[in-house]
Amino acid sequence: MPYSYGKFKNEIRDRIIDKFNPQTEILDVGAGSGVYSDLLWSTFRKLDALEIFPNYIQMFELEKRYRSVIQADIRYFNFYSYGLLIMGDILEHLTIEDAQSILHKIKANNQGVMIAVPYLFEQGEEYGNIHETHLQPDLTPDIMLERYPDLKLIYGDENYGYYGNSKFD
């Protein structure tokens, strides 16, 4: 879905503001409805959106909410110029191998990453978007730590978790 879980949004905003300089270039991967622009635009003006589904770019007028909007797939996009990647409700849409590969590249490039995921959530195509399908519907806090050991839980409950890498320590 182009929308995400509402809990902990203000806390994650405050954590990002605390840990990153306002001049940090940020990439909102899978921007969807643009919720992270709503949360961060007043502090971070170098905030770009990466969205795979062109209908969301138009539907949510993302061009008005981000410095730049790029229609592309994170698996094939050169994201190395960004200091922070926000992957809110993205990891579950990737295969384990693709997710691990992206996180390996982020670590190798010493970038920050914030990841938000739903736990134990099956989902297929939505809004005509095949990319909405969850390829990792089995995620739980234990599985997240097993598959992605460089991530640490920042905030979460029984339904959802926000994770960050060492840049959030």
Side-chain angles (χ1 to χ4, degrees):
M1 288 180 278
Y3 305 100
S4 62
Y5 195 60
K7 278 181 130 177
F8 306 110
K9 287 291 193 252
N10 290 333
E11 291 86 348
I12 204 66
R13 176 203 61 217
D14 294 347
R15 187 74 169 260
I16 290 170
I17 290 170
D18 181 55
K19 297 293 181 181
F20 293 89
N21 181 299
Q23 294 303 310
T24 301
E25 293 198 48
I26 300 174
L27 183 64
D28 183 0
V29 179
S33 67
V35 68
Y36 289 101
S37 174
D38 295 342
L39 292 169
L40 297 169
W41 185 252
S42 64
T43 303
F44 297 94
R45 292 305 178 122
K46 295 180 179 180
L47 178 59
D48 295 342
L50 183 72
E51 178 54 59
I52 196 169
F53 192 55
N55 291 8
Y56 290 168
I57 295 170
Q58 296 170 338
M59 184 185 311
F60 298 108
E61 299 181 320
L62 297 181
E63 299 92 351
K64 295 178 181 178
R65 303 167 75 187
Y66 290 89
R67 176 181 71 170
S68 175
V69 177
I70 305 125
Q71 192 222 327
D73 184 328
I74 186 64
R75 296 174 299 168
Y76 313 110
F77 183 72
N78 180 349
F79 51 79
Y80 297 120
S81 66
Y82 293 92
L84 172 64
L85 282 81
I86 295 173
M87 297 178 70
D89 293 270
I90 297 303
L91 208 68
E92 67 274 15
H93 300 278
L94 299 168
T95 65
I96 296 166
E97 296 78 20
D98 284 340
Q100 289 173 337
S101 174
I102 290 166
L103 290 173
H104 175 75
K105 291 174 188 175
I106 290 168
K107 182 179 180 179
N109 203 41
N110 198 30
Q111 295 166 287
V113 66
M114 189 285 295
I115 292 175
V117 296
Y119 297 139
L120 299 175
F121 195 81
E122 295 269 351
Q123 180 175 290
E125 180 178 320
E126 302 239 344
Y127 302 97
N129 182 358
I130 190 69
H131 303 289
E132 288 288 358
T133 303
H134 285 190
L135 303 178
Q136 295 185 70
D138 62 339
L139 294 174
T140 64
D142 289 338
I143 288 175
M144 281 296 294
L145 297 177
E146 178 185 314
R147 289 182 189 162
Y148 311 105
D150 290 330
L151 298 177
K152 296 175 186 148
L153 182 65
I154 302 171
Y155 300 104
D157 61 17
E158 65 278 355
N159 299 310
Y160 202 83
Y162 291 87
Y163 293 81
N165 64 3
S166 62
K167 299 291 184 179
F168 281 86
D169 290 342

PDB file of all heavy atoms in Angstrom, residues 3-30:
ATOM      1  N   TYR A   3       0.460   3.671   1.732  1.00  0.00           N
ATOM      2  CA  TYR A   3       0.379   4.246   3.071  1.00  0.00           C
ATOM      3  C   TYR A   3       1.125   3.344   4.046  1.00  0.00           C
ATOM      4  O   TYR A   3       1.345   2.172   3.765  1.00  0.00           O
ATOM      5  CB  TYR A   3      -1.081   4.380   3.507  1.00  0.00           C
ATOM      6  CG  TYR A   3      -1.910   5.169   2.534  1.00  0.00           C
ATOM      7  CD1 TYR A   3      -2.739   4.521   1.623  1.00  0.00           C
ATOM      8  CD2 TYR A   3      -1.846   6.555   2.500  1.00  0.00           C
ATOM      9  CE1 TYR A   3      -3.496   5.240   0.711  1.00  0.00           C
ATOM     10  CE2 TYR A   3      -2.600   7.275   1.587  1.00  0.00           C
ATOM     11  CZ  TYR A   3      -3.419   6.613   0.695  1.00  0.00           C
ATOM     12  OH  TYR A   3      -4.162   7.326  -0.207  1.00  0.00           O
ATOM     13  N   SER A   4       1.463   3.874   5.193  1.00  0.00           N
ATOM     14  CA  SER A   4       2.191   3.053   6.163  1.00  0.00           C
ATOM     15  C   SER A   4       1.582   3.192   7.559  1.00  0.00           C
ATOM     16  O   SER A   4       0.738   4.044   7.815  1.00  0.00           O
ATOM     17  CB  SER A   4       3.668   3.440   6.182  1.00  0.00           C
ATOM     18  OG  SER A   4       3.840   4.778   6.574  1.00  0.00           O
ATOM     19  N   TYR A   5       2.069   2.361   8.447  1.00  0.00           N
ATOM     20  CA  TYR A   5       1.652   2.299   9.842  1.00  0.00           C
ATOM     21  C   TYR A   5       1.872   3.659  10.503  1.00  0.00           C
ATOM     22  O   TYR A   5       2.935   4.267  10.355  1.00  0.00           O
ATOM     23  CB  TYR A   5       2.494   1.220  10.518  1.00  0.00           C
ATOM     24  CG  TYR A   5       2.025   0.731  11.853  1.00  0.00           C
ATOM     25  CD1 TYR A   5       0.777   0.144  12.019  1.00  0.00           C
ATOM     26  CD2 TYR A   5       2.868   0.804  12.958  1.00  0.00           C
ATOM     27  CE1 TYR A   5       0.374  -0.339  13.248  1.00  0.00           C
ATOM     28  CE2 TYR A   5       2.474   0.318  14.191  1.00  0.00           C
ATOM     29  CZ  TYR A   5       1.219  -0.256  14.323  1.00  0.00           C
ATOM     30  OH  TYR A   5       0.830  -0.741  15.548  1.00  0.00           O
ATOM     31  N   GLY A   6       0.896   4.122  11.251  1.00  0.00           N
ATOM     32  CA  GLY A   6       0.962   5.462  11.825  1.00  0.00           C
ATOM     33  C   GLY A   6       1.757   5.606  13.113  1.00  0.00           C
ATOM     34  O   GLY A   6       2.270   6.678  13.409  1.00  0.00           O
ATOM     35  N   LYS A   7       1.876   4.514  13.872  1.00  0.00           N
ATOM     36  CA  LYS A   7       2.567   4.612  15.158  1.00  0.00           C
ATOM     37  C   LYS A   7       4.058   4.890  14.972  1.00  0.00           C
ATOM     38  O   LYS A   7       4.670   4.426  14.022  1.00  0.00           O
ATOM     39  CB  LYS A   7       2.409   3.315  15.941  1.00  0.00           C
ATOM     40  CG  LYS A   7       1.117   3.194  16.694  1.00  0.00           C
ATOM     41  CD  LYS A   7       1.081   1.894  17.439  1.00  0.00           C
ATOM     42  CE  LYS A   7       0.707   2.099  18.874  1.00  0.00           C
ATOM     43  NZ  LYS A   7       0.612   0.807  19.579  1.00  0.00           N
ATOM     44  N   PHE A   8       4.606   5.635  15.909  1.00  0.00           N
ATOM     45  CA  PHE A   8       6.044   5.936  16.014  1.00  0.00           C
ATOM     46  C   PHE A   8       6.558   6.885  14.928  1.00  0.00           C
ATOM     47  O   PHE A   8       7.762   7.093  14.831  1.00  0.00           O
ATOM     48  CB  PHE A   8       6.894   4.650  16.009  1.00  0.00           C
ATOM     49  CG  PHE A   8       6.491   3.648  17.047  1.00  0.00           C
ATOM     50  CD1 PHE A   8       5.879   2.464  16.675  1.00  0.00           C
ATOM     51  CD2 PHE A   8       6.695   3.895  18.401  1.00  0.00           C
ATOM     52  CE1 PHE A   8       5.495   1.525  17.628  1.00  0.00           C
ATOM     53  CE2 PHE A   8       6.314   2.960  19.357  1.00  0.00           C
ATOM     54  CZ  PHE A   8       5.711   1.776  18.968  1.00  0.00           C
ATOM     55  N   LYS A   9       5.695   7.466  14.127  1.00  0.00           N
ATOM     56  CA  LYS A   9       6.159   8.367  13.062  1.00  0.00           C
ATOM     57  C   LYS A   9       6.852   9.599  13.654  1.00  0.00           C
ATOM     58  O   LYS A   9       7.908   9.998  13.167  1.00  0.00           O
ATOM     59  CB  LYS A   9       5.004   8.799  12.158  1.00  0.00           C
ATOM     60  CG  LYS A   9       4.509   7.717  11.240  1.00  0.00           C
ATOM     61  CD  LYS A   9       5.510   7.373  10.167  1.00  0.00           C
ATOM     62  CE  LYS A   9       4.908   6.531   9.086  1.00  0.00           C
ATOM     63  NZ  LYS A   9       5.333   5.142   9.075  1.00  0.00           N
ATOM     64  N   ASN A  10       6.268  10.205  14.679  1.00  0.00           N
ATOM     65  CA  ASN A  10       6.901  11.388  15.270  1.00  0.00           C
ATOM     66  C   ASN A  10       8.220  11.028  15.941  1.00  0.00           C
ATOM     67  O   ASN A  10       9.185  11.794  15.872  1.00  0.00           O
ATOM     68  CB  ASN A  10       5.958  12.070  16.258  1.00  0.00           C
ATOM     69  CG  ASN A  10       4.792  12.725  15.554  1.00  0.00           C
ATOM     70  OD1 ASN A  10       4.875  13.119  14.390  1.00  0.00           O
ATOM     71  ND2 ASN A  10       3.676  12.839  16.245  1.00  0.00           N
ATOM     72  N   GLU A  11       8.270   9.859  16.558  1.00  0.00           N
ATOM     73  CA  GLU A  11       9.509   9.425  17.209  1.00  0.00           C
ATOM     74  C   GLU A  11      10.614   9.179  16.183  1.00  0.00           C
ATOM     75  O   GLU A  11      11.763   9.568  16.397  1.00  0.00           O
ATOM     76  CB  GLU A  11       9.269   8.138  18.022  1.00  0.00           C
ATOM     77  CG  GLU A  11       8.402   8.338  19.250  1.00  0.00           C
ATOM     78  CD  GLU A  11       6.904   8.248  18.989  1.00  0.00           C
ATOM     79  OE1 GLU A  11       6.470   8.242  17.818  1.00  0.00           O
ATOM     80  OE2 GLU A  11       6.151   8.197  19.981  1.00  0.00           O
ATOM     81  N   ILE A  12      10.269   8.569  15.061  1.00  0.00           N
ATOM     82  CA  ILE A  12      11.290   8.309  14.046  1.00  0.00           C
ATOM     83  C   ILE A  12      11.732   9.614  13.394  1.00  0.00           C
ATOM     84  O   ILE A  12      12.904   9.804  13.099  1.00  0.00           O
ATOM     85  CB  ILE A  12      10.832   7.243  13.019  1.00  0.00           C
ATOM     86  CG1 ILE A  12      12.050   6.578  12.372  1.00  0.00           C
ATOM     87  CG2 ILE A  12       9.920   7.798  11.970  1.00  0.00           C
ATOM     88  CD1 ILE A  12      12.895   5.759  13.279  1.00  0.00           C
ATOM     89  N   ARG A  13      10.800  10.548  13.202  1.00  0.00           N
ATOM     90  CA  ARG A  13      11.167  11.882  12.693  1.00  0.00           C
ATOM     91  C   ARG A  13      12.183  12.535  13.628  1.00  0.00           C
ATOM     92  O   ARG A  13      13.225  13.032  13.193  1.00  0.00           O
ATOM     93  CB  ARG A  13       9.922  12.762  12.567  1.00  0.00           C
ATOM     94  CG  ARG A  13      10.255  14.191  12.124  1.00  0.00           C
ATOM     95  CD  ARG A  13       9.187  15.192  12.508  1.00  0.00           C
ATOM     96  NE  ARG A  13       9.030  15.218  13.962  1.00  0.00           N
ATOM     97  CZ  ARG A  13       7.866  15.366  14.587  1.00  0.00           C
ATOM     98  NH1 ARG A  13       6.749  15.501  13.918  1.00  0.00           N
ATOM     99  NH2 ARG A  13       7.818  15.385  15.911  1.00  0.00           N
ATOM    100  N   ASP A  14      11.883  12.523  14.915  1.00  0.00           N
ATOM    101  CA  ASP A  14      12.780  13.151  15.889  1.00  0.00           C
ATOM    102  C   ASP A  14      14.143  12.467  15.907  1.00  0.00           C
ATOM    103  O   ASP A  14      15.172  13.128  16.054  1.00  0.00           O
ATOM    104  CB  ASP A  14      12.152  13.134  17.283  1.00  0.00           C
ATOM    105  CG  ASP A  14      10.913  14.009  17.376  1.00  0.00           C
ATOM    106  OD1 ASP A  14      10.663  14.835  16.450  1.00  0.00           O
ATOM    107  OD2 ASP A  14      10.160  13.860  18.365  1.00  0.00           O
ATOM    108  N   ARG A  15      14.167  11.164  15.766  1.00  0.00           N
ATOM    109  CA  ARG A  15      15.434  10.415  15.756  1.00  0.00           C
ATOM    110  C   ARG A  15      16.270  10.788  14.543  1.00  0.00           C
ATOM    111  O   ARG A  15      17.482  10.974  14.637  1.00  0.00           O
ATOM    112  CB  ARG A  15      15.141   8.916  15.784  1.00  0.00           C
ATOM    113  CG  ARG A  15      16.345   8.033  15.937  1.00  0.00           C
ATOM    114  CD  ARG A  15      16.882   8.100  17.387  1.00  0.00           C
ATOM    115  NE  ARG A  15      17.877   7.090  17.638  1.00  0.00           N
ATOM    116  CZ  ARG A  15      17.661   5.952  18.262  1.00  0.00           C
ATOM    117  NH1 ARG A  15      16.470   5.661  18.730  1.00  0.00           N
ATOM    118  NH2 ARG A  15      18.635   5.107  18.447  1.00  0.00           N
ATOM    119  N   ILE A  16      15.630  10.910  13.383  1.00  0.00           N
ATOM    120  CA  ILE A  16      16.350  11.305  12.166  1.00  0.00           C
ATOM    121  C   ILE A  16      16.887  12.725  12.316  1.00  0.00           C
ATOM    122  O   ILE A  16      18.043  13.001  11.998  1.00  0.00           O
ATOM    123  CB  ILE A  16      15.441  11.161  10.927  1.00  0.00           C
ATOM    124  CG1 ILE A  16      15.189   9.669  10.648  1.00  0.00           C
ATOM    125  CG2 ILE A  16      16.057  11.853   9.712  1.00  0.00           C
ATOM    126  CD1 ILE A  16      14.118   9.403   9.594  1.00  0.00           C
ATOM    127  N   ILE A  17      16.082  13.622  12.836  1.00  0.00           N
ATOM    128  CA  ILE A  17      16.524  15.007  13.044  1.00  0.00           C
ATOM    129  C   ILE A  17      17.700  15.054  14.010  1.00  0.00           C
ATOM    130  O   ILE A  17      18.645  15.819  13.818  1.00  0.00           O
ATOM    131  CB  ILE A  17      15.349  15.889  13.531  1.00  0.00           C
ATOM    132  CG1 ILE A  17      14.351  16.086  12.384  1.00  0.00           C
ATOM    133  CG2 ILE A  17      15.834  17.227  14.074  1.00  0.00           C
ATOM    134  CD1 ILE A  17      13.026  16.728  12.798  1.00  0.00           C
ATOM    135  N   ASP A  18      17.663  14.215  15.040  1.00  0.00           N
ATOM    136  CA  ASP A  18      18.736  14.174  16.037  1.00  0.00           C
ATOM    137  C   ASP A  18      20.035  13.609  15.469  1.00  0.00           C
ATOM    138  O   ASP A  18      21.115  14.064  15.830  1.00  0.00           O
ATOM    139  CB  ASP A  18      18.279  13.339  17.237  1.00  0.00           C
ATOM    140  CG  ASP A  18      19.334  13.270  18.320  1.00  0.00           C
ATOM    141  OD1 ASP A  18      19.796  14.338  18.776  1.00  0.00           O
ATOM    142  OD2 ASP A  18      19.699  12.144  18.714  1.00  0.00           O
ATOM    143  N   LYS A  19      19.944  12.632  14.587  1.00  0.00           N
ATOM    144  CA  LYS A  19      21.136  11.902  14.117  1.00  0.00           C
ATOM    145  C   LYS A  19      21.735  12.425  12.819  1.00  0.00           C
ATOM    146  O   LYS A  19      22.873  12.099  12.498  1.00  0.00           O
ATOM    147  CB  LYS A  19      20.804  10.410  13.943  1.00  0.00           C
ATOM    148  CG  LYS A  19      20.424   9.715  15.235  1.00  0.00           C
ATOM    149  CD  LYS A  19      21.597   9.630  16.180  1.00  0.00           C
ATOM    150  CE  LYS A  19      21.238   8.927  17.473  1.00  0.00           C
ATOM    151  NZ  LYS A  19      22.360   8.869  18.396  1.00  0.00           N
ATOM    152  N   PHE A  20      20.985  13.230  12.053  1.00  0.00           N
ATOM    153  CA  PHE A  20      21.468  13.661  10.744  1.00  0.00           C
ATOM    154  C   PHE A  20      21.424  15.183  10.618  1.00  0.00           C
ATOM    155  O   PHE A  20      20.501  15.832  11.080  1.00  0.00           O
ATOM    156  CB  PHE A  20      20.651  13.000   9.631  1.00  0.00           C
ATOM    157  CG  PHE A  20      20.862  11.511   9.573  1.00  0.00           C
ATOM    158  CD1 PHE A  20      20.066  10.661  10.330  1.00  0.00           C
ATOM    159  CD2 PHE A  20      21.881  10.969   8.806  1.00  0.00           C
ATOM    160  CE1 PHE A  20      20.267   9.291  10.315  1.00  0.00           C
ATOM    161  CE2 PHE A  20      22.095   9.605   8.787  1.00  0.00           C
ATOM    162  CZ  PHE A  20      21.291   8.758   9.536  1.00  0.00           C
ATOM    163  N   ASN A  21      22.433  15.715   9.956  1.00  0.00           N
ATOM    164  CA  ASN A  21      22.555  17.139   9.682  1.00  0.00           C
ATOM    165  C   ASN A  21      21.466  17.563   8.685  1.00  0.00           C
ATOM    166  O   ASN A  21      21.178  16.821   7.753  1.00  0.00           O
ATOM    167  CB  ASN A  21      23.959  17.378   9.092  1.00  0.00           C
ATOM    168  CG  ASN A  21      24.233  18.818   8.783  1.00  0.00           C
ATOM    169  OD1 ASN A  21      23.547  19.436   7.971  1.00  0.00           O
ATOM    170  ND2 ASN A  21      25.260  19.342   9.405  1.00  0.00           N
ATOM    171  N   PRO A  22      20.889  18.747   8.837  1.00  0.00           N
ATOM    172  CA  PRO A  22      19.854  19.207   7.904  1.00  0.00           C
ATOM    173  C   PRO A  22      20.318  19.276   6.443  1.00  0.00           C
ATOM    174  O   PRO A  22      19.492  19.313   5.534  1.00  0.00           O
ATOM    175  CB  PRO A  22      19.483  20.601   8.422  1.00  0.00           C
ATOM    176  CG  PRO A  22      19.850  20.574   9.860  1.00  0.00           C
ATOM    177  CD  PRO A  22      21.058  19.675   9.963  1.00  0.00           C
ATOM    178  N   GLN A  23      21.632  19.283   6.211  1.00  0.00           N
ATOM    179  CA  GLN A  23      22.152  19.300   4.840  1.00  0.00           C
ATOM    180  C   GLN A  23      22.319  17.898   4.245  1.00  0.00           C
ATOM    181  O   GLN A  23      22.715  17.751   3.090  1.00  0.00           O
ATOM    182  CB  GLN A  23      23.494  20.039   4.801  1.00  0.00           C
ATOM    183  CG  GLN A  23      23.371  21.520   5.118  1.00  0.00           C
ATOM    184  CD  GLN A  23      22.408  22.216   4.166  1.00  0.00           C
ATOM    185  OE1 GLN A  23      22.507  22.079   2.950  1.00  0.00           O
ATOM    186  NE2 GLN A  23      21.448  22.950   4.724  1.00  0.00           N
ATOM    187  N   THR A  24      21.995  16.868   5.033  1.00  0.00           N
ATOM    188  CA  THR A  24      22.102  15.494   4.551  1.00  0.00           C
ATOM    189  C   THR A  24      21.176  15.280   3.366  1.00  0.00           C
ATOM    190  O   THR A  24      20.015  15.678   3.397  1.00  0.00           O
ATOM    191  CB  THR A  24      21.725  14.500   5.677  1.00  0.00           C
ATOM    192  OG1 THR A  24      22.602  14.700   6.779  1.00  0.00           O
ATOM    193  CG2 THR A  24      21.807  13.054   5.200  1.00  0.00           C
ATOM    194  N   GLU A  25      21.701  14.646   2.329  1.00  0.00           N
ATOM    195  CA  GLU A  25      20.860  14.266   1.198  1.00  0.00           C
ATOM    196  C   GLU A  25      20.174  12.958   1.554  1.00  0.00           C
ATOM    197  O   GLU A  25      20.828  11.987   1.922  1.00  0.00           O
ATOM    198  CB  GLU A  25      21.679  14.138  -0.075  1.00  0.00           C
ATOM    199  CG  GLU A  25      22.227  15.491  -0.516  1.00  0.00           C
ATOM    200  CD  GLU A  25      22.662  15.502  -1.958  1.00  0.00           C
ATOM    201  OE1 GLU A  25      21.889  15.037  -2.816  1.00  0.00           O
ATOM    202  OE2 GLU A  25      23.766  15.975  -2.215  1.00  0.00           O
ATOM    203  N   ILE A  26      18.847  12.969   1.449  1.00  0.00           N
ATOM    204  CA  ILE A  26      18.034  11.823   1.846  1.00  0.00           C
ATOM    205  C   ILE A  26      17.256  11.311   0.645  1.00  0.00           C
ATOM    206  O   ILE A  26      16.686  12.091  -0.113  1.00  0.00           O
ATOM    207  CB  ILE A  26      17.054  12.217   2.973  1.00  0.00           C
ATOM    208  CG1 ILE A  26      17.814  12.706   4.209  1.00  0.00           C
ATOM    209  CG2 ILE A  26      16.133  11.040   3.317  1.00  0.00           C
ATOM    210  CD1 ILE A  26      16.915  13.246   5.319  1.00  0.00           C
ATOM    211  N   LEU A  27      17.215   9.978   0.514  1.00  0.00           N
ATOM    212  CA  LEU A  27      16.406   9.340  -0.518  1.00  0.00           C
ATOM    213  C   LEU A  27      15.295   8.552   0.156  1.00  0.00           C
ATOM    214  O   LEU A  27      15.556   7.636   0.935  1.00  0.00           O
ATOM    215  CB  LEU A  27      17.266   8.404  -1.376  1.00  0.00           C
ATOM    216  CG  LEU A  27      16.533   7.722  -2.538  1.00  0.00           C
ATOM    217  CD1 LEU A  27      16.046   8.767  -3.555  1.00  0.00           C
ATOM    218  CD2 LEU A  27      17.440   6.701  -3.219  1.00  0.00           C
ATOM    219  N   ASP A  28      14.069   8.922  -0.139  1.00  0.00           N
ATOM    220  CA  ASP A  28      12.879   8.215   0.355  1.00  0.00           C
ATOM    221  C   ASP A  28      12.536   7.154  -0.687  1.00  0.00           C
ATOM    222  O   ASP A  28      11.942   7.445  -1.725  1.00  0.00           O
ATOM    223  CB  ASP A  28      11.732   9.200   0.558  1.00  0.00           C
ATOM    224  CG  ASP A  28      10.479   8.563   1.137  1.00  0.00           C
ATOM    225  OD1 ASP A  28      10.480   7.335   1.386  1.00  0.00           O
ATOM    226  OD2 ASP A  28       9.492   9.293   1.328  1.00  0.00           O
ATOM    227  N   VAL A  29      12.940   5.930  -0.415  1.00  0.00           N
ATOM    228  CA  VAL A  29      12.763   4.821  -1.354  1.00  0.00           C
ATOM    229  C   VAL A  29      11.331   4.314  -1.264  1.00  0.00           C
ATOM    230  O   VAL A  29      10.861   3.959  -0.185  1.00  0.00           O
ATOM    231  CB  VAL A  29      13.757   3.692  -1.040  1.00  0.00           C
ATOM    232  CG1 VAL A  29      13.562   2.526  -2.006  1.00  0.00           C
ATOM    233  CG2 VAL A  29      15.192   4.198  -1.078  1.00  0.00           C
ATOM    234  N   GLY A  30      10.649   4.274  -2.402  1.00  0.00           N
ATOM    235  CA  GLY A  30       9.252   3.857  -2.403  1.00  0.00           C
ATOM    236  C   GLY A  30       8.393   4.877  -1.693  1.00  0.00           C
ATOM    237  O   GLY A  30       7.670   4.560  -0.752  1.00  0.00           O
TER     238      GLY A  30
END
